[in-house]
Amino acid sequence: NAAAWSNRGTLRLQLGRWEDANTDLQFAKELELRQNGEANSLLLNNLGNTQGAIGEWDRAIENYLSASKDPSMSEIALANYALALFQIGESEAGLKEAQSLVRKDPNFWDMRAAVTAL
């Protein structure tokens, strides 16, 4: 079941086993798409994190943007999207996204740090 694969992938992500995590989370995403027509936003965000960890930033960005459509995951996914933009050299776009998040939530300390650093 997709949840079991997602859980194992998330654990592997936390353990720094990024390739294994990516495999598990990608499989979970495929299962959810087949079963539900869409993938869970937490799964998509975690998959983006594994893809970023292995340098697949374009794929990570796609998953962060998909995850951001869920209001309960929007800010975290968009923060990860902003950080991914920095990673691919799109600093201006990343800064704009970070500033937007800080305007929405002035206590979003990670994004305040990113804005201040730039």
Side-chain angles (χ1 to χ4, degrees), residues 98-118:
Q99 289 170 329
S100 174
L101 288 164
V102 169
R103 276 192 298 279
K104 291 177 193 170
D105 181 1
N107 293 318
F108 198 154
W109 298 108
D110 291 349
M111 287 297 98
R112 284 183 67 170
V115 168
T116 302
L118 296 169

Side-chain angles (χ1 to χ4, degrees), residues 41 44-45 49 60-86 93-102 104 108 110-111 114:
S41 61
L44 292 170
N45 188 71
N49 290 341
I61 285 170
E62 289 175 23
N63 283 304
Y64 293 142
L65 289 174
S66 293
S68 74
K69 295 174 185 173
D70 177 352
S72 70
M73 184 55 64
S74 181
E75 286 187 11
I76 294 297
L78 289 174
N80 287 332
Y81 167 67
L83 296 174
L85 290 172
F86 293 130
L95 179 59
K96 285 181 182 178
E97 188 63 48
Q99 289 170 329
S100 174
L101 288 164
V102 169
K104 291 177 193 170
F108 198 154
D110 291 349
M111 287 297 98

Side-chain angles (χ1 to χ4, degrees), residues 19-48:
E19 290 286 349
D20 293 334
N22 187 57
T23 299
D24 289 348
L25 292 168
Q26 187 62 48
F27 188 65
K29 178 182 176 182
E30 291 167 14
L31 286 175
E32 285 197 2
L33 288 173
R34 274 188 259 144
Q35 293 169 354
N36 307 323
E38 63 183 9
N40 174 285
S41 61
L42 180 60
L43 165 62
L44 292 170
N45 188 71
N46 287 341
L47 180 56

Side-chain angles (χ1 to χ4, degrees), residues 2-21:
W5 286 96
S6 180
N7 288 342
R8 187 172 84 166
T10 300
L11 174 63
R12 288 176 163 180
L13 171 62
Q14 293 169 347
L15 294 174
R17 294 174 53 191
W18 299 311
E19 290 286 349
D20 293 334

